[in-house]
PDB file of all heavy atoms in Angstrom:
ATOM      1  N   ALA T  29    -144.769-291.485 146.582  1.00 87.00           N
ATOM      2  CA  ALA T  29    -144.003-290.434 145.908  1.00 87.00           C
ATOM      3  C   ALA T  29    -143.284-290.943 144.670  1.00 87.00           C
ATOM      4  O   ALA T  29    -143.318-290.322 143.600  1.00 87.00           O
ATOM      5  CB  ALA T  29    -143.003-289.837 146.896  1.00 87.00           C
ATOM      6  N   GLY T  30    -142.615-292.090 144.765  1.00 84.00           N
ATOM      7  CA  GLY T  30    -141.815-292.593 143.650  1.00 84.00           C
ATOM      8  C   GLY T  30    -142.459-293.694 142.864  1.00 84.00           C
ATOM      9  O   GLY T  30    -141.803-294.319 142.017  1.00 84.00           O
ATOM     10  N   MET T  31    -143.737-293.987 143.137  1.00 88.00           N
ATOM     11  CA  MET T  31    -144.382-295.138 142.513  1.00 88.00           C
ATOM     12  C   MET T  31    -145.514-294.792 141.560  1.00 88.00           C
ATOM     13  O   MET T  31    -145.837-295.565 140.682  1.00 88.00           O
ATOM     14  CB  MET T  31    -144.962-296.052 143.610  1.00 88.00           C
ATOM     15  CG  MET T  31    -143.931-296.829 144.371  1.00 88.00           C
ATOM     16  SD  MET T  31    -144.694-298.199 145.208  1.00 88.00           S
ATOM     17  CE  MET T  31    -145.382-299.157 143.863  1.00 88.00           C
ATOM     18  N   THR T  32    -146.144-293.632 141.749  1.00 93.00           N
ATOM     19  CA  THR T  32    -147.411-293.371 141.054  1.00 93.00           C
ATOM     20  C   THR T  32    -147.260-292.352 139.943  1.00 93.00           C
ATOM     21  O   THR T  32    -146.379-291.494 139.953  1.00 93.00           O
ATOM     22  CB  THR T  32    -148.471-292.882 142.046  1.00 93.00           C
ATOM     23  OG1 THR T  32    -147.972-291.722 142.717  1.00 93.00           O
ATOM     24  CG2 THR T  32    -148.784-293.947 143.096  1.00 93.00           C
ATOM     25  N   ASP T  33    -148.201-292.420 138.991  1.00 95.00           N
ATOM     26  CA  ASP T  33    -148.283-291.425 137.931  1.00 95.00           C
ATOM     27  C   ASP T  33    -149.167-290.244 138.353  1.00 95.00           C
ATOM     28  O   ASP T  33    -148.888-289.109 138.036  1.00 95.00           O
ATOM     29  CB  ASP T  33    -148.838-292.064 136.649  1.00 95.00           C
ATOM     30  CG  ASP T  33    -147.997-293.221 136.163  1.00 95.00           C
ATOM     31  OD1 ASP T  33    -146.819-292.988 135.881  1.00 95.00           O
ATOM     32  OD2 ASP T  33    -148.507-294.370 136.102  1.00 95.00           O
ATOM     33  N   ARG T  34    -150.258-290.583 139.057  1.00 96.00           N
ATOM     34  CA  ARG T  34    -151.183-289.556 139.550  1.00 96.00           C
ATOM     35  C   ARG T  34    -151.599-289.927 140.951  1.00 96.00           C
ATOM     36  O   ARG T  34    -151.515-291.083 141.374  1.00 96.00           O
ATOM     37  CB  ARG T  34    -152.458-289.517 138.665  1.00 96.00           C
ATOM     38  CG  ARG T  34    -152.265-288.852 137.313  1.00 96.00           C
ATOM     39  CD  ARG T  34    -153.599-288.692 136.595  1.00 96.00           C
ATOM     40  NE  ARG T  34    -154.294-289.969 136.406  1.00 96.00           N
ATOM     41  CZ  ARG T  34    -155.515-290.219 136.834  1.00 96.00           C
ATOM     42  NH1 ARG T  34    -156.213-289.297 137.498  1.00 96.00           N
ATOM     43  NH2 ARG T  34    -156.074-291.387 136.614  1.00 96.00           N
ATOM     44  N   ILE T  35    -152.096-288.897 141.679  1.00 97.00           N
ATOM     45  CA  ILE T  35    -152.555-289.104 143.057  1.00 97.00           C
ATOM     46  C   ILE T  35    -153.926-288.468 143.242  1.00 97.00           C
ATOM     47  O   ILE T  35    -154.180-287.362 142.790  1.00 97.00           O
ATOM     48  CB  ILE T  35    -151.552-288.497 144.077  1.00 97.00           C
ATOM     49  CG1 ILE T  35    -150.217-289.249 144.037  1.00 97.00           C
ATOM     50  CG2 ILE T  35    -152.129-288.545 145.482  1.00 97.00           C
ATOM     51  CD1 ILE T  35    -149.145-288.632 144.939  1.00 97.00           C
ATOM     52  N   LEU T  36    -154.825-289.209 143.899  1.00 97.00           N
ATOM     53  CA  LEU T  36    -156.105-288.660 144.366  1.00 97.00           C
ATOM     54  C   LEU T  36    -156.007-288.529 145.891  1.00 97.00           C
ATOM     55  O   LEU T  36    -155.594-289.465 146.585  1.00 97.00           O
ATOM     56  CB  LEU T  36    -157.265-289.616 144.035  1.00 97.00           C
ATOM     57  CG  LEU T  36    -157.432-290.102 142.600  1.00 97.00           C
ATOM     58  CD1 LEU T  36    -158.634-291.023 142.508  1.00 97.00           C
ATOM     59  CD2 LEU T  36    -157.594-288.937 141.641  1.00 97.00           C
ATOM     60  N   VAL T  37    -156.350-287.371 146.406  1.00 97.00           N
ATOM     61  CA  VAL T  37    -156.386-287.155 147.841  1.00 97.00           C
ATOM     62  C   VAL T  37    -157.830-287.166 148.281  1.00 97.00           C
ATOM     63  O   VAL T  37    -158.653-286.409 147.754  1.00 97.00           O
ATOM     64  CB  VAL T  37    -155.724-285.813 148.229  1.00 97.00           C
ATOM     65  CG1 VAL T  37    -155.758-285.592 149.738  1.00 97.00           C
ATOM     66  CG2 VAL T  37    -154.283-285.741 147.711  1.00 97.00           C
ATOM     67  N   MET T  38    -158.182-288.038 149.243  1.00 97.00           N
ATOM     68  CA  MET T  38    -159.571-288.165 149.695  1.00 97.00           C
ATOM     69  C   MET T  38    -159.717-287.660 151.137  1.00 97.00           C
ATOM     70  O   MET T  38    -158.825-287.813 151.971  1.00 97.00           O
ATOM     71  CB  MET T  38    -160.041-289.608 149.614  1.00 97.00           C
ATOM     72  CG  MET T  38    -160.228-290.108 148.189  1.00 97.00           C
ATOM     73  SD  MET T  38    -161.102-291.715 148.081  1.00 97.00           S
ATOM     74  CE  MET T  38    -162.774-291.208 148.621  1.00 97.00           C
ATOM     75  N   TYR T  39    -160.893-287.065 151.372  1.00 97.00           N
ATOM     76  CA  TYR T  39    -161.230-286.591 152.711  1.00 97.00           C
ATOM     77  C   TYR T  39    -162.738-286.656 152.857  1.00 97.00           C
ATOM     78  O   TYR T  39    -163.483-286.156 151.981  1.00 97.00           O
ATOM     79  CB  TYR T  39    -160.750-285.151 152.952  1.00 97.00           C
ATOM     80  CG  TYR T  39    -160.919-284.663 154.361  1.00 97.00           C
ATOM     81  CD1 TYR T  39    -160.018-285.010 155.350  1.00 97.00           C
ATOM     82  CD2 TYR T  39    -161.994-283.849 154.720  1.00 97.00           C
ATOM     83  CE1 TYR T  39    -160.171-284.597 156.653  1.00 97.00           C
ATOM     84  CE2 TYR T  39    -162.156-283.401 156.037  1.00 97.00           C
ATOM     85  CZ  TYR T  39    -161.229-283.781 156.995  1.00 97.00           C
ATOM     86  OH  TYR T  39    -161.358-283.350 158.291  1.00 97.00           O
ATOM     87  N   ALA T  40    -163.242-287.291 153.917  1.00 95.00           N
ATOM     88  CA  ALA T  40    -164.672-287.333 154.230  1.00 95.00           C
ATOM     89  C   ALA T  40    -165.467-287.902 153.057  1.00 95.00           C
ATOM     90  O   ALA T  40    -166.541-287.399 152.734  1.00 95.00           O
ATOM     91  CB  ALA T  40    -165.187-285.968 154.641  1.00 95.00           C
ATOM     92  N   GLY T  41    -164.930-288.918 152.397  1.00 96.00           N
ATOM     93  CA  GLY T  41    -165.681-289.596 151.339  1.00 96.00           C
ATOM     94  C   GLY T  41    -165.618-288.932 149.963  1.00 96.00           C
ATOM     95  O   GLY T  41    -166.285-289.410 149.029  1.00 96.00           O
ATOM     96  N   ARG T  42    -164.829-287.870 149.823  1.00 97.00           N
ATOM     97  CA  ARG T  42    -164.733-287.172 148.546  1.00 97.00           C
ATOM     98  C   ARG T  42    -163.285-286.990 148.126  1.00 97.00           C
ATOM     99  O   ARG T  42    -162.378-287.003 148.959  1.00 97.00           O
ATOM    100  CB  ARG T  42    -165.390-285.796 148.640  1.00 97.00           C
ATOM    101  CG  ARG T  42    -166.909-285.823 148.818  1.00 97.00           C
ATOM    102  CD  ARG T  42    -167.448-284.422 148.943  1.00 97.00           C
ATOM    103  NE  ARG T  42    -168.901-284.419 149.062  1.00 97.00           N
ATOM    104  CZ  ARG T  42    -169.738-284.301 148.024  1.00 97.00           C
ATOM    105  NH1 ARG T  42    -169.242-284.192 146.794  1.00 97.00           N
ATOM    106  NH2 ARG T  42    -171.051-284.287 148.198  1.00 97.00           N
ATOM    107  N   ILE T  43    -163.082-286.806 146.826  1.00 98.00           N
ATOM    108  CA  ILE T  43    -161.760-286.437 146.312  1.00 98.00           C
ATOM    109  C   ILE T  43    -161.632-284.937 146.480  1.00 98.00           C
ATOM    110  O   ILE T  43    -162.429-284.158 145.973  1.00 98.00           O
ATOM    111  CB  ILE T  43    -161.610-286.822 144.832  1.00 98.00           C
ATOM    112  CG1 ILE T  43    -161.660-288.347 144.666  1.00 98.00           C
ATOM    113  CG2 ILE T  43    -160.286-286.264 144.277  1.00 98.00           C
ATOM    114  CD1 ILE T  43    -161.727-288.827 143.236  1.00 98.00           C
ATOM    115  N   VAL T  44    -160.575-284.496 147.255  1.00 97.00           N
ATOM    116  CA  VAL T  44    -160.390-283.068 147.479  1.00 97.00           C
ATOM    117  C   VAL T  44    -159.269-282.514 146.603  1.00 97.00           C
ATOM    118  O   VAL T  44    -159.205-281.287 146.422  1.00 97.00           O
ATOM    119  CB  VAL T  44    -160.078-282.779 148.972  1.00 97.00           C
ATOM    120  CG1 VAL T  44    -161.295-283.154 149.843  1.00 97.00           C
ATOM    121  CG2 VAL T  44    -158.840-283.473 149.456  1.00 97.00           C
ATOM    122  N   GLU T  45    -158.420-283.361 146.079  1.00 98.00           N
ATOM    123  CA  GLU T  45    -157.434-282.915 145.095  1.00 98.00           C
ATOM    124  C   GLU T  45    -157.000-284.111 144.250  1.00 98.00           C
ATOM    125  O   GLU T  45    -156.887-285.228 144.701  1.00 98.00           O
ATOM    126  CB  GLU T  45    -156.207-282.279 145.787  1.00 98.00           C
ATOM    127  CG  GLU T  45    -155.259-281.622 144.789  1.00 98.00           C
ATOM    128  CD  GLU T  45    -154.318-280.597 145.411  1.00 98.00           C
ATOM    129  OE1 GLU T  45    -154.252-280.504 146.649  1.00 98.00           O
ATOM    130  OE2 GLU T  45    -153.637-279.893 144.633  1.00 98.00           O
ATOM    131  N   SER T  46    -156.757-283.800 142.967  1.00 97.00           N
ATOM    132  CA  SER T  46    -156.334-284.803 142.001  1.00 97.00           C
ATOM    133  C   SER T  46    -155.317-284.155 141.084  1.00 97.00           C
ATOM    134  O   SER T  46    -155.578-283.086 140.519  1.00 97.00           O
ATOM    135  CB  SER T  46    -157.533-285.293 141.184  1.00 97.00           C
ATOM    136  OG  SER T  46    -157.111-286.067 140.073  1.00 97.00           O
ATOM    137  N   ALA T  47    -154.133-284.795 140.927  1.00 97.00           N
ATOM    138  CA  ALA T  47    -153.079-284.185 140.128  1.00 97.00           C
ATOM    139  C   ALA T  47    -152.014-285.219 139.788  1.00 97.00           C
ATOM    140  O   ALA T  47    -151.887-286.236 140.482  1.00 97.00           O
ATOM    141  CB  ALA T  47    -152.437-283.015 140.859  1.00 97.00           C
ATOM    142  N   PRO T  48    -151.232-284.987 138.715  1.00 96.00           N
ATOM    143  CA  PRO T  48    -150.036-285.824 138.487  1.00 96.00           C
ATOM    144  C   PRO T  48    -149.150-285.763 139.720  1.00 96.00           C
ATOM    145  O   PRO T  48    -149.067-284.700 140.392  1.00 96.00           O
ATOM    146  CB  PRO T  48    -149.390-285.168 137.272  1.00 96.00           C
ATOM    147  CG  PRO T  48    -150.502-284.460 136.557  1.00 96.00           C
ATOM    148  CD  PRO T  48    -151.410-283.997 137.671  1.00 96.00           C
ATOM    149  N   THR T  49    -148.459-286.828 140.013  1.00 95.00           N
ATOM    150  CA  THR T  49    -147.687-286.926 141.274  1.00 95.00           C
ATOM    151  C   THR T  49    -146.711-285.766 141.459  1.00 95.00           C
ATOM    152  O   THR T  49    -146.656-285.128 142.512  1.00 95.00           O
ATOM    153  CB  THR T  49    -146.951-288.282 141.324  1.00 95.00           C
ATOM    154  OG1 THR T  49    -147.913-289.334 141.259  1.00 95.00           O
ATOM    155  CG2 THR T  49    -146.157-288.411 142.619  1.00 95.00           C
ATOM    156  N   SER T  50    -145.910-285.498 140.418  1.00 94.00           N
ATOM    157  CA  SER T  50    -144.892-284.453 140.573  1.00 94.00           C
ATOM    158  C   SER T  50    -145.525-283.100 140.830  1.00 94.00           C
ATOM    159  O   SER T  50    -145.033-282.299 141.638  1.00 94.00           O
ATOM    160  CB  SER T  50    -144.007-284.402 139.309  1.00 94.00           C
ATOM    161  OG  SER T  50    -144.808-284.161 138.168  1.00 94.00           O
ATOM    162  N   GLU T  51    -146.648-282.820 140.138  1.00 94.00           N
ATOM    163  CA  GLU T  51    -147.307-281.534 140.324  1.00 94.00           C
ATOM    164  C   GLU T  51    -147.948-281.393 141.700  1.00 94.00           C
ATOM    165  O   GLU T  51    -147.946-280.316 142.304  1.00 94.00           O
ATOM    166  CB  GLU T  51    -148.385-281.317 139.239  1.00 94.00           C
ATOM    167  CG  GLU T  51    -148.967-279.939 139.240  1.00 94.00           C
ATOM    168  CD  GLU T  51    -149.802-279.654 137.994  1.00 94.00           C
ATOM    169  OE1 GLU T  51    -149.554-280.282 136.953  1.00 94.00           O
ATOM    170  OE2 GLU T  51    -150.714-278.785 138.083  1.00 94.00           O
ATOM    171  N   LEU T  52    -148.497-282.495 142.211  1.00 95.00           N
ATOM    172  CA  LEU T  52    -149.091-282.471 143.538  1.00 95.00           C
ATOM    173  C   LEU T  52    -148.063-282.129 144.586  1.00 95.00           C
ATOM    174  O   LEU T  52    -148.334-281.366 145.531  1.00 95.00           O
ATOM    175  CB  LEU T  52    -149.768-283.808 143.852  1.00 95.00           C
ATOM    176  CG  LEU T  52    -150.607-283.810 145.135  1.00 95.00           C
ATOM    177  CD1 LEU T  52    -152.062-283.452 144.766  1.00 95.00           C
ATOM    178  CD2 LEU T  52    -150.580-285.137 145.849  1.00 95.00           C
ATOM    179  N   PHE T  53    -146.868-282.702 144.465  1.00 93.00           N
ATOM    180  CA  PHE T  53    -145.813-282.426 145.440  1.00 93.00           C
ATOM    181  C   PHE T  53    -145.252-281.011 145.292  1.00 93.00           C
ATOM    182  O   PHE T  53    -144.859-280.393 146.281  1.00 93.00           O
ATOM    183  CB  PHE T  53    -144.672-283.463 145.303  1.00 93.00           C
ATOM    184  CG  PHE T  53    -144.958-284.728 146.051  1.00 93.00           C
ATOM    185  CD1 PHE T  53    -145.781-285.703 145.515  1.00 93.00           C
ATOM    186  CD2 PHE T  53    -144.380-284.987 147.283  1.00 93.00           C
ATOM    187  CE1 PHE T  53    -146.053-286.889 146.195  1.00 93.00           C
ATOM    188  CE2 PHE T  53    -144.628-286.163 147.982  1.00 93.00           C
ATOM    189  CZ  PHE T  53    -145.473-287.104 147.422  1.00 93.00           C
ATOM    190  N   GLU T  54    -145.207-280.506 144.057  1.00 92.00           N
ATOM    191  CA  GLU T  54    -144.658-279.173 143.829  1.00 92.00           C
ATOM    192  C   GLU T  54    -145.652-278.056 144.129  1.00 92.00           C
ATOM    193  O   GLU T  54    -145.288-276.993 144.611  1.00 92.00           O
ATOM    194  CB  GLU T  54    -144.188-279.056 142.362  1.00 92.00           C
ATOM    195  CG  GLU T  54    -142.969-279.917 142.047  1.00 92.00           C
ATOM    196  CD  GLU T  54    -142.705-279.996 140.550  1.00 92.00           C
ATOM    197  OE1 GLU T  54    -143.395-279.271 139.789  1.00 92.00           O
ATOM    198  OE2 GLU T  54    -141.822-280.776 140.156  1.00 92.00           O
ATOM    199  N   ARG T  55    -146.956-278.292 143.773  1.00 93.00           N
ATOM    200  CA  ARG T  55    -147.964-277.228 143.923  1.00 93.00           C
ATOM    201  C   ARG T  55    -149.222-277.756 144.529  1.00 93.00           C
ATOM    202  O   ARG T  55    -150.285-277.777 143.898  1.00 93.00           O
ATOM    203  CB  ARG T  55    -148.264-276.588 142.568  1.00 93.00           C
ATOM    204  CG  ARG T  55    -147.046-276.043 141.865  1.00 93.00           C
ATOM    205  CD  ARG T  55    -147.442-275.300 140.608  1.00 93.00           C
ATOM    206  NE  ARG T  55    -148.013-273.992 140.889  1.00 93.00           N
ATOM    207  CZ  ARG T  55    -148.244-273.061 139.959  1.00 93.00           C
ATOM    208  NH1 ARG T  55    -147.972-273.325 138.689  1.00 93.00           N
ATOM    209  NH2 ARG T  55    -148.758-271.898 140.281  1.00 93.00           N
ATOM    210  N   PRO T  56    -149.179-278.207 145.782  1.00 94.00           N
ATOM    211  CA  PRO T  56    -150.447-278.655 146.422  1.00 94.00           C
ATOM    212  C   PRO T  56    -151.404-277.479 146.500  1.00 94.00           C
ATOM    213  O   PRO T  56    -151.019-276.380 146.899  1.00 94.00           O
ATOM    214  CB  PRO T  56    -149.986-279.114 147.807  1.00 94.00           C
ATOM    215  CG  PRO T  56    -148.700-278.354 148.052  1.00 94.00           C
ATOM    216  CD  PRO T  56    -148.053-278.221 146.712  1.00 94.00           C
ATOM    217  N   SER T  57    -152.651-277.693 146.086  1.00 95.00           N
ATOM    218  CA  SER T  57    -153.594-276.601 145.986  1.00 95.00           C
ATOM    219  C   SER T  57    -154.837-276.824 146.842  1.00 95.00           C
ATOM    220  O   SER T  57    -155.910-276.310 146.534  1.00 95.00           O
ATOM    221  CB  SER T  57    -153.979-276.366 144.517  1.00 95.00           C
ATOM    222  OG  SER T  57    -152.829-276.083 143.757  1.00 95.00           O
ATOM    223  N   ASN T  58    -154.668-277.609 147.895  1.00 96.00           N
ATOM    224  CA  ASN T  58    -155.706-277.827 148.856  1.00 96.00           C
ATOM    225  C   ASN T  58    -155.072-277.865 150.229  1.00 96.00           C
ATOM    226  O   ASN T  58    -154.059-278.525 150.413  1.00 96.00           O
ATOM    227  CB  ASN T  58    -156.466-279.129 148.575  1.00 96.00           C
ATOM    228  CG  ASN T  58    -157.685-279.305 149.446  1.00 96.00           C
ATOM    229  OD1 ASN T  58    -157.598-279.594 150.627  1.00 96.00           O
ATOM    230  ND2 ASN T  58    -158.865-279.118 148.842  1.00 96.00           N
ATOM    231  N   PRO T  59    -155.619-277.155 151.218  1.00 95.00           N
ATOM    232  CA  PRO T  59    -154.963-277.145 152.557  1.00 95.00           C
ATOM    233  C   PRO T  59    -154.800-278.527 153.169  1.00 95.00           C
ATOM    234  O   PRO T  59    -153.860-278.765 153.892  1.00 95.00           O
ATOM    235  CB  PRO T  59    -155.941-276.248 153.378  1.00 95.00           C
ATOM    236  CG  PRO T  59    -156.597-275.384 152.356  1.00 95.00           C
ATOM    237  CD  PRO T  59    -156.762-276.234 151.141  1.00 95.00           C
TER     238      PRO T  59
END
């Protein structure tokens, strides 16, 4: 949360969401 500029979320070998850290925490757009 306090270390990264961007985050990739992976599931089953694929990236399911990619966003700047602050935006990912504010508006997650993948269940």
Side-chain angles (χ1 to χ4, degrees):
M31 286 197 63
T32 57
D33 301 301
R34 286 187 302 123
I35 294 176
L36 308 180
V37 181
M38 290 192 69
Y39 187 80
R42 292 178 178 268
I43 295 171
V44 297
E45 188 161 9
S46 169
T49 300
S50 58
E51 187 168 335
L52 189 91
F53 276 79
E54 290 169 7
R55 303 186 77 169
S57 301
N58 188 285

